């Protein structure tokens, strides 16, 4: 089972911030709420119902529809979901740092950096940046 | 860019809020060894403090060399090593708001510096390498790291340091080229 979610290298983060500052690009920061609940599961996972869900003790278990905090694959599932969400925007995952995504457009480009559920967006295509902020 | 609050929390965790600050993170001419003095009865605090210091090096290149040294004793920390950790934290006490400054309209020119001590660890005879990389006036990458093998001459260790630095520089140039700054 693959359970790791890429986090940006700190050098990449500092490089992006340094370039953003020197070029005067806008820098946007976002957090994804309840990030780990967004992931899709590839496996069937059942859990013991939390106390109080059923009034009497029962042998019923709950099947998880989505990934959940505390699951080993939760962070991976979330990252995969995030990556597929970016695909329609034609973002390309960077080969030097897999948590960096780049999108070239006719009016400029957009850089997107992921650190688990924290996201930094910068670039020169302001329209796409604001579209992205609404979409995510 | 700074981790001021994190530094203050770390000082509080070590219980050193009311001690006197020092001007340097390490004492001059002191070499720590694996078996200096007695073992700490409970290494939990040591692990916690050194782990936190490591996280603080994200914006504090000035302590990365000192933190590298105390990280060498994670396996069996001793009293003298904890004294060194406390000194780093007392250094933070006088400089907790320090961080990195990224100026506007700085150039995109990558400059790298490397250095090494030769057989600086009395225990293992390994050398510790260090590098700094600037993008224009902005410091973006640095490292203090024990070499993987024993260098038999200072020249050899210098070459190893340069090689490790170039390794990072090649990666950074690739990254910069990808985002439009070849």
């Amino acid at each position: 089972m693959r359970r790791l979610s890429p986090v940006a290298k700190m050098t990449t983060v500092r490089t992006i911030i340094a370039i953003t500052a020197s070029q005067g690009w806008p820098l946007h920061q976002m957090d994804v709420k309840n990030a780990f609940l967004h992931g899709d599961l590839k496996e069937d996972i059942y859990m013991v119902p939390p106390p109080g869900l059923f009034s009497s003790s029962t042998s019923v278990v709950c099947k998880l529809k989505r990934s959940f905090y505390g699951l080993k694959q939760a962070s991976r599932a979330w990252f995969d979901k995030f990556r597929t969400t970016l695909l329609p925007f034609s973002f390309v995952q960077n080969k030097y740092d897999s948590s960096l995504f780049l999108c070239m457009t006719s009016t400029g480009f957009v850089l997107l950096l992921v650190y688990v559920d924290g996201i930094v967006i910068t670039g020169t295509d302001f329209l796409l940046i604001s579209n992205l902020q609404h979409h995510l | 860019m700074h981790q001021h609050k994190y530094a203050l929390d770390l000082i509080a965790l070590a219980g050193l809020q009311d001690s006197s600050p020092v001007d340097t993170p390490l004492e001059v001419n002191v070499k720590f060894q694996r078996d200096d003095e007695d073992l700490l009865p409970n290494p939990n605090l040591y692990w916690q403090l050194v782990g936190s210091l490591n996280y603080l090096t994200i914006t504090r290149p000035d302590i990365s060399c000192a933190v590298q040294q105390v990280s060498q004793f994670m396996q069996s920390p001793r009293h003298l090593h904890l004294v060194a950790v406390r000194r780093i934290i007392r250094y933070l006490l006088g400089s907790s708001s320090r961080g990195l400054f990224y100026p506007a309209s700085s150039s995109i020119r990558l400059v790298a510096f490397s250095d090494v001590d030769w057989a600086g660890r009395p225990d293992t005879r390994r050398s510790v390498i260090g590098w700094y990389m600037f993008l224009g006036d902005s410091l973006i990458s640095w490292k203090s790291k024990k070499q993987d093998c024993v260098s038999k001459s200072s020249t050899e260790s210098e070459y190893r340091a340069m090689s490790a630095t170039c390794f990072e520089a090649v990666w950074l140039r690739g990254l910069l080229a990808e985002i439009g700054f070849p």
Side-chain angles (χ1 to χ4, degrees):
Chain A
M1 188 190 346
R2 307 185 61 155
R3 42 180 85 155
L4 289 177
S5 156
V7 289
K9 287 190 191 192
M10 275 307 154
T11 306
T12 311
V13 179
R14 287 187 294 253
T15 307
I16 299 296
I17 292 175
I19 292 179
T20 305
S22 82
Q23 304 296 308
W25 297 337
L27 191 70
H28 301 277
Q29 192 187 342
M30 309 172 57
D31 285 311
V32 177
K33 291 195 178 72
N34 304 324
F36 285 0
L37 299 184
H38 292 290
D40 296 318
L41 286 172
K42 295 192 183 79
E43 303 86 358
D44 287 340
I45 297 177
Y46 301 90
M47 72 173 208
V48 177
L53 185 60
F54 300 110
S55 49
S56 56
S57 73
T58 161
S59 57
V60 176
V61 289
C62 307
K63 183 177 178 190
L64 294 183
K65 288 181 151 178
R66 286 296 187 89
S67 111
F68 202 31
Y69 286 82
L71 280 185
K72 289 192 170 65
Q73 60 269 60
S75 61
R76 180 100 199 169
W78 143 247
F79 188 78
D80 282 340
K81 181 80 179 182
F82 182 77
R83 191 165 46 184
T84 30
T85 312
L86 283 179
L87 283 179
F89 286 94
S90 63
F91 268 91
V92 179
Q93 197 171 7
N94 194 278
K95 61 179 174 178
Y96 290 90
D97 191 326
S98 46
S99 61
L100 180 66
F101 294 85
L102 183 67
C103 177
M104 303 299 251
T105 64
S106 53
T107 53
F109 67 95
V110 175
L111 281 173
L112 199 147
L113 200 57
V114 195
Y115 196 92
V116 193
D117 60 347
I119 302 167
V120 170
I121 307 175
T122 185
T124 53
D125 186 338
F126 308 125
L127 190 68
L128 178 59
I129 292 179
S130 63
N131 278 347
L132 265 176
Q133 282 175 306
H134 289 294
H135 188 76
L136 301 172
Chain B
M1 204 163 64
H2 60 78
Q3 294 168 286
H4 186 196
K5 187 180 177 300
Y6 190 82
L8 293 180
D9 291 347
L10 174 57
I11 293 164
L13 174 69
L16 292 169
Q17 306 94 314
D18 303 321
S19 58
S20 54
V22 286
D23 291 334
T24 54
L26 278 175
E27 249 179 278
V28 188
N29 291 330
V30 174
K31 290 204 169 154
F32 300 104
Q33 307 216 9
R34 243 174 319 195
D35 40 11
D36 278 334
E37 286 191 34
D38 294 332
L39 283 170
L40 288 175
N42 180 6
N44 272 322
L45 180 66
Y46 189 89
W47 291 335
Q48 211 175 345
L49 292 177
V50 176
S52 304
L53 282 172
N54 238 320
Y55 185 66
L56 199 59
T57 59
I58 292 175
T59 57
R60 294 296 297 261
D62 49 339
I63 61 166
S64 65
C65 173
V67 173
Q68 190 279 137
Q69 294 208 17
V70 293
S71 305
Q72 301 300 307
F73 310 109
M74 287 299 251
Q75 195 179 41
S76 52
R78 290 164 192 268
H79 285 288
L80 207 66
H81 305 148
L82 186 60
V83 171
V85 170
R86 284 178 189 280
R87 184 179 170 109
I88 301 176
I89 296 171
R90 278 171 60 209
Y91 167 74
L92 291 177
L93 192 60
S95 62
S96 56
S97 59
R98 264 186 223 169
L100 298 166
F101 178 61
Y102 290 139
S105 51
S106 149
S107 73
I108 307 287
R109 202 171 91 92
L110 189 64
V111 183
F113 304 90
S114 79
D115 197 9
V116 69
D117 68 337
W118 178 38
R121 299 280 82 91
D123 293 328
T124 59
R125 296 284 147 191
R126 308 272 189 97
S127 313
V128 176
I129 65 170
W131 80 64
Y132 274 81
M133 281 177 211
F134 290 85
L135 199 61
D137 298 321
S138 314
L139 179 62
I140 51 169
S141 172
W142 61 86
K143 191 78 153 183
S144 176
K145 186 181 172 26
K146 190 171 68 185
Q147 277 185 356
D148 298 329
C149 52
V150 177
S151 292
K152 283 178 283 184
S153 70
S154 57
T155 315
E156 183 185 336
S157 68
E158 292 281 0
Y159 269 111
R160 287 190 187 281
M162 278 188 273
S163 157
T165 310
C166 290
F167 191 80
E168 172 88 352
V170 167
W171 172 76
L172 252 175
R173 285 187 59 180
L175 180 74
L176 288 171
E178 270 310 273
I179 54 182
F181 296 97

